[in-house]
């Protein structure tokens, strides 16, 4: 894979290229995401979100606060989700977990009301399907993959970043006490959201920040901007390029899945080498034997995945608290 190739081609998208949509440019070239990026795991029993959705900078955001805020000081945390977005119960509970640890959490609707296709809790497994049922499921998976590619084409950096900047500017005003207490804004990102935490934590030319090819001389009007956050932590990113990582200028923790087709080793290695060269404080944690998306709150039958999920949360939280 070339250095600039996006690290998000899911295995199911290969079927799109080879069957229904031969010749379609989006199906052939557009990035894709896996099931764990677009479908919630079952919600842990008995857990109910405690925050609320309101407008922040004109953008819907799920906001959840520590129980003793504002009587006790808090720090501001931006949480960026995978494709299931802010209406996902699991994502709300994930935000609540950070709030219970002393962060005032803002989880914005980075998709502007357009969450990933078929975003819904994952159904419980049933009996082994018949051959005909498996064929039907294969066609459905291929169609869904195409829909996700189309959806991703609607949610590019030039669409997502302006929404995030509106939220950040409004948050600095409305929650100035939390921003001041933390000495800036912290951020965590999962799957889709991980790329944008990396971008917000970086110093990039306009051409990198907005995903377009522009001349890099000053006469063309390009300039370096950022970083917009103090420190960040991301888990199993999608759509991430080496440039996204190499531009990072703030302390960054990256939780990765071993042999992850959505975040291949060559992308990780190139990014890690760049961070080492730049002297940017960072850490990479590699988790074997877990699926992409494991760090997003949700129930698993496999106790090893449950333990890894809890460990990843603890490591991300610890990184933020240490910075």
């Amino acid at each position: 894979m070339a250095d600039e190739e996006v690290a998000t081609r899911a295995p199911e998208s290969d079927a799109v290229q080879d069957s229904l949509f031969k010749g379609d440019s989006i199906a052939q070239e557009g990035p894709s995401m896996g099931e764990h990026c677009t479908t919630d795991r079952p919600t842990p029993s008995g857990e109910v979100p405690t925050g609320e959705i309101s407008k922040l900078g004109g953008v819907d955001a799920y906001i959840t606060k520590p129980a003793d805020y504002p009587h006790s000081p808090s720090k501001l945390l931006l949480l960026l989700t995978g494709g299931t977005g802010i209406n996902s119960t699991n994502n709300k509970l994930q935000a609540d977990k950070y709030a219970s640890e002393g962060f005032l959490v803002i989880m914005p609707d980075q998709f502007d009301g357009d969450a990933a296709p078929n975003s819904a809790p994952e159904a419980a497994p049933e009996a082994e399907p018949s051959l005909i049922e498996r064929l039907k499921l294969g066609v459905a998976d291929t169609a869904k993959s195409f829909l996700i590619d189309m959806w991703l084409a609607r949610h590019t950096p030039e669409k997502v970043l302006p929404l995030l900047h509106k939220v950040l500017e409004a948050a600095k005003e409305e929650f100035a006490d939390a921003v001041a207490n933390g000495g800036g804004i912290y951020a965590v990102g999962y799957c889709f959201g991980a790329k944008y935490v990396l971008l917000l934590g970086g110093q990039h030319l306009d051409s990198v920040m907005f995903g377009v090819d522009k001349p890099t001389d000053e006469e063309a009007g390009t300039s370096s901007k950022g970083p917009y956050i103090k420190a960040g932590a991301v888990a199993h990113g999608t759509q991430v390029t080496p440039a996204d990582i190499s531009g990072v200028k703030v302390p960054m923790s990256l939780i990765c899945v071993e042999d992850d087709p959505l975040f291949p080793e060559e992308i990780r290695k190139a990014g890690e080498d760049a961070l080492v060269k730049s002297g940017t404080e960072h850490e990479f944690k590699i988790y074997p034997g877990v699926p992409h998306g494991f760090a997003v709150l949700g129930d698993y039958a496999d106790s090893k995945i449950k333990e890894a999920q809890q460990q990843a949360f603890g490591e991300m939280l610890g990184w933020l608290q240490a910075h």
Side-chain angles (χ1 to χ4, degrees):
M1 184 179 294
D3 280 354
E4 293 303 317
E5 185 176 348
V6 176
T8 59
R9 176 64 63 191
E12 65 265 28
S13 67
D14 293 336
V16 175
Q17 292 183 24
D18 295 336
S19 57
L20 296 183
F21 307 105
K22 182 70 77 174
D24 184 280
S25 59
I26 295 177
Q28 287 186 294
E29 298 176 8
S32 190
M33 296 197 298
E35 189 73 14
H36 287 83
C37 300
T38 59
T39 304
D40 275 338
R41 295 291 304 171
T43 299
S45 177
E47 298 194 29
V48 179
T50 58
E52 61 183 15
I53 293 178
S54 61
K55 293 286 186 181
L56 193 60
V59 179
D60 284 341
Y62 178 78
I63 301 174
T64 179
K65 307 170 184 177
D68 53 358
Y69 178 84
H71 303 294
S72 296
S74 182
K75 297 179 180 179
L76 190 67
L77 176 67
L78 177 75
L79 192 156
L80 302 182
T81 72
T84 51
I86 67 169
N87 291 315
S88 156
T89 298
N90 287 354
N91 290 339
K92 292 177 181 178
L93 292 174
Q94 187 100 62
D96 290 346
K97 287 188 67 175
Y98 286 104
S100 71
E101 298 290 344
F103 287 94
L104 193 163
V105 185
I106 296 170
M107 186 170 72
D109 181 8
Q110 60 201 355
F111 307 122
D112 197 21
D114 179 30
N118 301 319
S119 293
E122 184 174 290
E126 299 180 355
E128 184 69 21
S130 67
L131 175 60
I132 293 177
E133 290 171 333
R134 289 199 299 270
L135 290 173
K136 289 180 179 178
L137 288 171
V139 171
D141 287 344
T142 298
K144 181 178 179 180
S145 179
F146 177 69
L147 290 175
I148 290 173
D149 284 342
M150 295 290 290
W151 173 78
L152 282 168
R154 298 195 297 271
H155 299 289
T156 57
E158 55 263 51
K159 296 292 182 62
V160 175
L161 285 168
L163 292 175
L164 298 181
H165 287 307
K166 288 179 182 179
V167 170
L168 290 176
E169 287 305 311
K172 289 176 184 178
E173 181 175 344
E174 185 165 342
F175 303 112
D177 58 330
V179 176
N181 182 56
I185 297 174
Y186 295 84
V188 292
Y190 297 85
C191 298
F192 182 100
K195 177 184 179 75
Y196 291 89
V197 169
L198 295 173
L199 290 176
L200 292 172
Q203 187 176 64
H204 301 272
L205 293 171
D206 289 335
S207 56
V208 176
M209 282 295 283
F210 293 96
V212 294
D213 294 326
K214 295 181 180 178
T216 55
D217 58 14
E218 293 183 0
E219 292 181 358
T222 60
S223 61
S224 295
K225 297 180 180 179
Y228 299 92
I229 59 174
K230 179 181 179 180
V234 302
H236 37 69
T238 61
Q239 298 182 278
V240 174
T241 69
D244 297 336
I245 306 174
S246 65
V248 170
K249 301 300 180 185
V250 301
M252 188 68 64
S253 173
L254 295 94
I255 302 293
C256 308
V257 173
E258 188 177 50
D259 299 323
D260 186 354
L262 303 185
F263 190 60
E265 184 177 359
E266 55 264 37
I267 297 291
R268 175 173 59 82
K269 282 289 188 181
E272 186 170 12
D273 290 345
L275 291 180
V276 170
K277 185 176 181 179
S278 68
T280 302
E281 185 181 359
H282 68 279
E283 68 173 11
F284 282 82
K285 298 285 188 176
I286 313 300
Y287 281 74
V290 295
H292 179 95
F294 82 96
V296 176
L297 187 142
D299 200 11
Y300 285 90
D302 189 333
S303 61
K304 292 181 180 179
I305 301 178
K306 288 183 178 181
E307 291 170 4
Q309 184 181 104
Q310 294 171 359
Q311 182 180 346
F313 174 77
E315 289 178 341
M316 295 172 77
L317 174 65
W319 180 265
L320 298 174
Q321 292 173 331
H323 294 86

